[in-house]
Amino acid sequence: MVKASASAKAEATKALEKATKEWRVAKKKERGARDNLAVIVQGCVESGTLSESKVSQLTEIPRMTIRKMLGKDAGSEK
């Protein structure tokens, strides 16, 4: 095993920290987008504008995932 130089370790550490920071930002954006979609799905289904099945077809998201957004999953106590 070859020992890495101090500058190589510093570069690798810096790259890792940058990538981790970018990953965290992307994760927060994804969560925000998912929450926004859930609010829209709930509004459409609760108002009767679209059915769960139609929302599933339009979004190409499995119906069980749509049901989970609506709080109707098997583990829910609603």
Side-chain angles (χ1 to χ4, degrees), residues 1-77:
M1 183 171 181
V2 178
K3 248 189 173 178
S5 67
S7 63
K9 284 184 181 181
E11 265 184 55
T13 301
K14 188 173 181 179
L16 184 59
E17 288 171 351
K18 183 177 184 266
T20 302
K21 185 176 181 179
E22 290 172 356
W23 174 78
R24 285 194 174 110
V25 168
K27 187 175 168 184
K28 286 180 183 177
K29 280 185 180 179
E30 179 185 351
R31 185 178 303 126
R34 200 170 43 237
D35 291 346
N36 186 37
L37 177 62
V39 167
I40 294 169
V41 166
Q42 288 172 350
C44 290
V45 174
E46 288 174 1
S47 70
T49 307
L50 296 170
S51 68
E52 293 173 17
S53 295
K54 190 63 177 176
V55 170
S56 178
Q57 287 175 343
L58 292 172
T59 59
E60 296 181 2
I61 295 172
R63 197 172 66 80
M64 293 309 293
T65 303
I66 299 297
R67 289 182 60 81
K68 189 170 183 176
M69 287 179 189
L70 297 169
K72 296 182 177 180
D73 61 327
S76 178
E77 293 185 21

